PDB file of all heavy atoms in Angstrom:
ATOM      1  N   LEU A 110       4.950  -2.017  -0.729  1.00 93.00           N
ATOM      2  CA  LEU A 110       6.116  -2.488   0.018  1.00 93.00           C
ATOM      3  C   LEU A 110       5.758  -3.711   0.877  1.00 93.00           C
ATOM      4  O   LEU A 110       6.590  -4.622   1.059  1.00 93.00           O
ATOM      5  CB  LEU A 110       6.638  -1.402   0.922  1.00 93.00           C
ATOM      6  CG  LEU A 110       7.358  -0.205   0.160  1.00 93.00           C
ATOM      7  CD1 LEU A 110       7.784   0.843   1.174  1.00 93.00           C
ATOM      8  CD2 LEU A 110       8.569  -0.746  -0.618  1.00 93.00           C
ATOM      9  N   GLY A 138      20.486 -37.976   8.412  1.00 88.00           N
ATOM     10  CA  GLY A 138      21.105 -39.185   7.880  1.00 88.00           C
ATOM     11  C   GLY A 138      20.639 -39.649   6.493  1.00 88.00           C
ATOM     12  O   GLY A 138      20.568 -40.822   6.210  1.00 88.00           O
ATOM     13  N   ASP A 141      22.739 -36.490   0.083  1.00 78.00           N
ATOM     14  CA  ASP A 141      22.572 -35.148  -0.533  1.00 78.00           C
ATOM     15  C   ASP A 141      21.573 -35.186  -1.676  1.00 78.00           C
ATOM     16  O   ASP A 141      20.764 -34.232  -1.890  1.00 78.00           O
ATOM     17  CB  ASP A 141      23.938 -34.670  -1.036  1.00 78.00           C
ATOM     18  CG  ASP A 141      24.905 -34.298   0.081  1.00 78.00           C
ATOM     19  OD1 ASP A 141      24.404 -33.884   1.144  1.00 78.00           O
ATOM     20  OD2 ASP A 141      26.079 -34.447  -0.153  1.00 78.00           O
ATOM     21  N   ALA A 156       3.922 -26.600  -9.521  1.00 85.00           N
ATOM     22  CA  ALA A 156       3.655 -27.005 -10.905  1.00 85.00           C
ATOM     23  C   ALA A 156       2.253 -27.559 -11.079  1.00 85.00           C
ATOM     24  O   ALA A 156       1.582 -27.317 -12.096  1.00 85.00           O
ATOM     25  CB  ALA A 156       4.713 -27.992 -11.350  1.00 85.00           C
ATOM     26  N   ARG A 261      18.288 -25.186  11.678  1.00 94.00           N
ATOM     27  CA  ARG A 261      16.895 -24.908  12.128  1.00 94.00           C
ATOM     28  C   ARG A 261      16.648 -23.412  12.320  1.00 94.00           C
ATOM     29  O   ARG A 261      15.538 -22.885  12.102  1.00 94.00           O
ATOM     30  CB  ARG A 261      16.639 -25.619  13.424  1.00 94.00           C
ATOM     31  CG  ARG A 261      16.607 -27.119  13.311  1.00 94.00           C
ATOM     32  CD  ARG A 261      16.219 -27.810  14.614  1.00 94.00           C
ATOM     33  NE  ARG A 261      16.310 -29.253  14.506  1.00 94.00           N
ATOM     34  CZ  ARG A 261      15.323 -30.053  14.136  1.00 94.00           C
ATOM     35  NH1 ARG A 261      14.141 -29.534  13.807  1.00 94.00           N
ATOM     36  NH2 ARG A 261      15.494 -31.356  14.072  1.00 94.00           N
ATOM     37  N   ASN A 287     -13.057  -7.410  -6.245  1.00 69.00           N
ATOM     38  CA  ASN A 287     -12.802  -8.730  -6.850  1.00 69.00           C
ATOM     39  C   ASN A 287     -13.566  -8.838  -8.133  1.00 69.00           C
ATOM     40  O   ASN A 287     -14.632  -9.488  -8.257  1.00 69.00           O
ATOM     41  CB  ASN A 287     -13.176  -9.835  -5.828  1.00 69.00           C
ATOM     42  CG  ASN A 287     -12.776 -11.195  -6.303  1.00 69.00           C
ATOM     43  OD1 ASN A 287     -11.960 -11.321  -7.171  1.00 69.00           O
ATOM     44  ND2 ASN A 287     -13.374 -12.217  -5.743  1.00 69.00           N
ATOM     45  N   ILE A 340      29.179 -16.282  -0.794  1.00 88.00           N
ATOM     46  CA  ILE A 340      29.311 -16.447  -2.259  1.00 88.00           C
ATOM     47  C   ILE A 340      27.982 -16.331  -2.944  1.00 88.00           C
ATOM     48  O   ILE A 340      27.815 -15.689  -3.975  1.00 88.00           O
ATOM     49  CB  ILE A 340      30.006 -17.762  -2.559  1.00 88.00           C
ATOM     50  CG1 ILE A 340      31.441 -17.774  -2.141  1.00 88.00           C
ATOM     51  CG2 ILE A 340      29.854 -18.111  -4.036  1.00 88.00           C
ATOM     52  CD1 ILE A 340      32.169 -19.084  -2.243  1.00 88.00           C
ATOM     53  N   LEU A 368      17.480 -13.884 -26.276  1.00 97.00           N
ATOM     54  CA  LEU A 368      18.539 -14.696 -26.830  1.00 97.00           C
ATOM     55  C   LEU A 368      19.886 -14.395 -26.230  1.00 97.00           C
ATOM     56  O   LEU A 368      20.692 -15.305 -25.924  1.00 97.00           O
ATOM     57  CB  LEU A 368      18.594 -14.565 -28.353  1.00 97.00           C
ATOM     58  CG  LEU A 368      17.409 -15.160 -29.119  1.00 97.00           C
ATOM     59  CD1 LEU A 368      17.419 -14.785 -30.581  1.00 97.00           C
ATOM     60  CD2 LEU A 368      17.463 -16.706 -28.990  1.00 97.00           C
ATOM     61  N   LEU A 392      34.239 -20.107  -9.430  1.00 96.00           N
ATOM     62  CA  LEU A 392      33.618 -18.903  -8.839  1.00 96.00           C
ATOM     63  C   LEU A 392      33.278 -17.893  -9.947  1.00 96.00           C
ATOM     64  O   LEU A 392      32.224 -17.244  -9.877  1.00 96.00           O
ATOM     65  CB  LEU A 392      34.611 -18.318  -7.813  1.00 96.00           C
ATOM     66  CG  LEU A 392      34.805 -19.090  -6.518  1.00 96.00           C
ATOM     67  CD1 LEU A 392      35.891 -18.453  -5.642  1.00 96.00           C
ATOM     68  CD2 LEU A 392      33.491 -19.208  -5.728  1.00 96.00           C
ATOM     69  N   TYR A 409      10.336 -14.339 -19.381  1.00 86.00           N
ATOM     70  CA  TYR A 409       9.187 -15.254 -19.704  1.00 86.00           C
ATOM     71  C   TYR A 409       7.903 -14.659 -19.191  1.00 86.00           C
ATOM     72  O   TYR A 409       6.850 -14.826 -19.827  1.00 86.00           O
ATOM     73  CB  TYR A 409       9.487 -16.632 -19.131  1.00 86.00           C
ATOM     74  CG  TYR A 409      10.535 -17.358 -19.917  1.00 86.00           C
ATOM     75  CD1 TYR A 409      11.833 -17.582 -19.347  1.00 86.00           C
ATOM     76  CD2 TYR A 409      10.294 -17.803 -21.189  1.00 86.00           C
ATOM     77  CE1 TYR A 409      12.769 -18.241 -20.072  1.00 86.00           C
ATOM     78  CE2 TYR A 409      11.273 -18.446 -21.928  1.00 86.00           C
ATOM     79  CZ  TYR A 409      12.519 -18.724 -21.347  1.00 86.00           C
ATOM     80  OH  TYR A 409      13.503 -19.321 -22.131  1.00 86.00           O
ATOM     81  N   CYS A 412       6.897 -11.953 -21.809  1.00 81.00           N
ATOM     82  CA  CYS A 412       6.508 -12.539 -23.097  1.00 81.00           C
ATOM     83  C   CYS A 412       5.226 -13.300 -23.005  1.00 81.00           C
ATOM     84  O   CYS A 412       4.427 -13.294 -23.959  1.00 81.00           O
ATOM     85  CB  CYS A 412       7.652 -13.420 -23.593  1.00 81.00           C
ATOM     86  SG  CYS A 412       9.098 -12.509 -24.147  1.00 81.00           S
ATOM     87  N   LEU A 447      23.786 -37.212  -9.848  1.00 90.00           N
ATOM     88  CA  LEU A 447      24.700 -37.125  -8.732  1.00 90.00           C
ATOM     89  C   LEU A 447      25.003 -38.520  -8.236  1.00 90.00           C
ATOM     90  O   LEU A 447      26.159 -38.834  -7.869  1.00 90.00           O
ATOM     91  CB  LEU A 447      24.084 -36.266  -7.615  1.00 90.00           C
ATOM     92  CG  LEU A 447      24.984 -35.906  -6.492  1.00 90.00           C
ATOM     93  CD1 LEU A 447      26.187 -35.062  -6.912  1.00 90.00           C
ATOM     94  CD2 LEU A 447      24.215 -35.172  -5.393  1.00 90.00           C
ATOM     95  N   LEU A 452      29.215 -35.144  -9.722  1.00 90.00           N
ATOM     96  CA  LEU A 452      28.967 -33.742  -9.834  1.00 90.00           C
ATOM     97  C   LEU A 452      29.442 -33.138 -11.218  1.00 90.00           C
ATOM     98  O   LEU A 452      28.788 -32.291 -11.787  1.00 90.00           O
ATOM     99  CB  LEU A 452      29.734 -32.956  -8.753  1.00 90.00           C
ATOM    100  CG  LEU A 452      29.010 -32.848  -7.394  1.00 90.00           C
ATOM    101  CD1 LEU A 452      30.032 -32.247  -6.366  1.00 90.00           C
ATOM    102  CD2 LEU A 452      27.769 -31.954  -7.484  1.00 90.00           C
ATOM    103  N   ILE A 463      19.180 -26.081 -21.422  1.00 98.00           N
ATOM    104  CA  ILE A 463      19.031 -24.647 -21.681  1.00 98.00           C
ATOM    105  C   ILE A 463      19.150 -24.373 -23.148  1.00 98.00           C
ATOM    106  O   ILE A 463      18.412 -23.490 -23.686  1.00 98.00           O
ATOM    107  CB  ILE A 463      20.119 -23.848 -20.877  1.00 98.00           C
ATOM    108  CG1 ILE A 463      19.905 -24.029 -19.411  1.00 98.00           C
ATOM    109  CG2 ILE A 463      20.052 -22.344 -21.230  1.00 98.00           C
ATOM    110  CD1 ILE A 463      21.037 -23.454 -18.519  1.00 98.00           C
TER     111      ILE A 463
END
Side-chain angles (χ1 to χ4, degrees):
L110 290 177
D141 289 330
R261 293 183 186 270
N287 188 17
I340 289 171
L368 287 171
L392 290 176
Y409 287 109
C412 289
L447 188 63
L452 276 171
I463 297 171

